Amino acid sequence: MGVDVASIQELAERVSEQVERVLVGKPHVVQLALTAMLSNGHLLIEDNPGTGKTSLARALAASISGTSQRIQFTPDLLPGDITGVSVWSQGTREFEYRRGPVFANVVLADEINRASPKTQSALLEVMQEGRVTVDGVAHAVPQPFMVIATQNPIEHAGTYQLPEAQVDRFALKVSIGYPDHASTLRILTSSGEEVEPEDLAPIADSTIVLGFARQIRGVHVEASIVDYVARLVEATRQADEVRLGVSVRGALALVRTARAWAAIHGRDYVTPDDVKALAVPALAHRLVLQPEAEFDDVRPESIVQQLMLTVAPPRR
């Protein structure tokens, strides 16, 4: 199956242009979000309050003509509030399954780390398998399916750290950051014409996105690129500051997102620069550091960046 990289690139450019009407001055972050979507992955957005985390997720969902749901995670949220529950029907005198908000093409899990770990883990199966099992019965979610989760830094009050198994299921993790001076001026001067995510018109329907995601699997990855990814992943496991390195799932996520990154940039093959561009957002959040490294405020992102300087990429 051929890869229509021209159409994929056009879709990415149109969606990026539209989302940037809501999230001003952050084109790179929007491209990373699109990369996660087109690689059938999930996206974790971590940043301080007020930087546009929820706006990015809502704008991306609005750009895709499909179903979307928003779940506000709170300390009293229960797993059944996400996946749905079986309730007794007086009419049929049987238990009937009532679907939860996770049954949508794009699910916005807002402030996911404000809920308890038990509730957070309710997303594990659906993020990996694309289905929900209640009372022994499996229920498939719509396709394409993507979870966009936002979280505040764990140092903030009232937050719970995500379990390692759940963090590992996010293909990419991004931080938006505050806008630069020029972007801040644009936001302030256009405050009277503020664009809400719900005002955005869909760019493509969900079936087109699903078709492009299938095509991206055909983007060529040379054996030398695969070897480069494997050596990067192995290096994370051997780093002195790391207690738990990148899993095989993380290595697969880097290859899959590199395919999507290449396609949205108009290429049907992956280059070492594609791997370098995605190494930090695809790998850093999967690292579990040694207690001494955490005490010294070592950042996983800096470890991955250092490893890219020591692990030699393949020659062109």
Side-chain angles (χ1 to χ4, degrees), residues 76-158:
D76 59 347
L77 194 71
L78 299 176
D81 296 329
I82 300 172
T83 60
V85 294
S86 294
V87 297
W88 178 257
S89 172
Q90 292 288 354
T92 61
R93 302 191 65 78
E94 294 179 346
F95 281 99
E96 295 181 353
Y97 175 59
R98 302 286 176 86
R99 292 185 171 187
V102 78
F103 286 85
N105 295 119
V106 180
V107 177
L108 169 57
D110 207 6
E111 296 189 301
I112 188 173
N113 59 337
R114 289 200 178 278
S116 66
K118 180 179 180 180
T119 300
Q120 293 172 9
S121 64
L123 287 173
L124 283 175
E125 180 187 16
V126 68
M127 290 176 67
Q128 183 66 27
E129 306 292 342
R131 67 186 182 189
V132 170
T133 302
V134 177
D135 295 334
V137 180
H139 307 270
V141 296
Q143 296 296 324
F145 175 74
M146 180 183 186
V147 173
I148 304 175
T150 72
Q151 69 171 12
N152 297 325
I154 60 172
E155 294 83 4
H156 283 232

Side-chain angles (χ1 to χ4, degrees), residues 42-55:
H42 308 290
L43 180 68
L44 179 62
I45 308 173
E46 180 183 87
D47 219 321
N48 293 312
T51 53
K53 302 186 302 294
T54 305
S55 295

Side-chain angles (χ1 to χ4, degrees), residues 232 235-237 239 287 302-312:
L232 272 175
T236 67
R237 301 167 186 166
L287 301 183
S302 64
I303 294 176
V304 176
Q305 290 168 348
Q306 183 62 37
L307 291 176
M308 283 193 290
L309 297 176
T310 59
V311 177

Side-chain angles (χ1 to χ4, degrees), residues 3-308:
V3 183
D4 186 2
V5 292
S7 297
I8 295 173
Q9 184 179 26
E10 180 186 3
L11 171 70
E13 290 174 348
R14 292 177 62 196
V15 173
S16 295
E17 181 180 351
Q18 176 155 270
V19 173
E20 285 183 57
R21 295 174 58 197
V22 175
L23 188 69
V24 178
K26 298 293 179 180
H28 183 68
V29 174
V30 177
Q31 284 187 340
L32 289 173
L34 283 168
T35 298
M37 180 181 69
L38 290 173
S39 61
N40 286 325
H42 308 290
L43 180 68
L44 179 62
I45 308 173
E46 180 183 87
D47 219 321
N48 293 312
T51 53
K53 302 186 302 294
T54 305
S55 295
L56 170 61
R58 289 166 58 200
L60 188 62
S63 299
I64 307 303
S65 181
T67 56
S68 62
Q69 292 281 1
R70 178 177 182 270
I71 307 172
Q72 179 63 54
F73 279 66
T74 56
D76 59 347
L77 194 71
L78 299 176
D81 296 329
I82 300 172
T83 60
V85 294
S86 294
V87 297
W88 178 257
S89 172
Q90 292 288 354
T92 61
R93 302 191 65 78
E94 294 179 346
F95 281 99
E96 295 181 353
Y97 175 59
R98 302 286 176 86
R99 292 185 171 187
V102 78
F103 286 85
N105 295 119
V106 180
V107 177
L108 169 57
D110 207 6
E111 296 189 301
I112 188 173
N113 59 337
R114 289 200 178 278
S116 66
K118 180 179 180 180
T119 300
Q120 293 172 9
S121 64
L123 287 173
L124 283 175
E125 180 187 16
V126 68
M127 290 176 67
Q128 183 66 27
E129 306 292 342
R131 67 186 182 189
V132 170
T133 302
V134 177
D135 295 334
V137 180
H139 307 270
V141 296
Q143 296 296 324
F145 175 74
M146 180 183 186
V147 173
I148 304 175
T150 72
Q151 69 171 12
N152 297 325
I154 60 172
E155 294 83 4
H156 283 232
T159 60
Y160 301 85
Q161 188 168 1
L162 294 180
E164 289 89 347
Q166 183 162 348
V167 171
D168 201 31
R169 282 166 170 78
F170 286 99
L172 299 175
K173 175 185 173 184
V174 300
S175 295
I176 297 174
Y178 292 112
D180 57 23
H181 181 70
S183 299
T184 301
L185 289 178
R186 285 177 55 194
I187 295 170
L188 295 177
T189 55
S190 62
S191 58
E193 303 173 359
E194 186 175 355
V195 178
E196 293 292 335
E198 291 75 13
D199 298 332
L200 302 179
I203 298 296
D205 61 37
S206 57
T207 57
I208 293 177
V209 174
L210 185 60
F212 283 162
R214 288 171 177 165
Q215 284 189 35
I216 283 172
R217 300 173 191 169
V219 173
H220 180 65
V221 184
E222 289 188 355
S224 61
I225 300 291
V226 176
D227 178 71
Y228 180 42
V229 171
R231 287 187 288 116
L232 272 175
V233 168
E234 290 165 3
T236 67
R237 301 167 186 166
Q238 299 166 2
D240 294 335
E241 305 92 340
V242 177
R243 178 165 56 90
L244 184 63
V246 175
S247 65
V248 175
R249 184 186 289 118
L252 288 169
L254 180 53
V255 173
R256 290 168 181 162
T257 53
R259 283 191 167 109
W261 185 263
I264 68 175
H265 288 86
R267 284 179 283 103
D268 60 358
Y269 58 91
V270 174
T271 68
D273 287 340
D274 297 327
V275 176
K276 291 179 180 179
L278 295 171
V280 171
L283 303 182
H285 64 288
R286 306 174 195 272
L287 301 183
V288 178
L289 303 186
Q290 296 284 5
E292 297 83 0
E294 292 182 348
F295 181 77
D296 293 336
D297 201 26
V298 175
R299 304 298 300 172
E301 294 82 2
S302 64
I303 294 176
V304 176
Q305 290 168 348
Q306 183 62 37
L307 291 176
M308 283 193 290

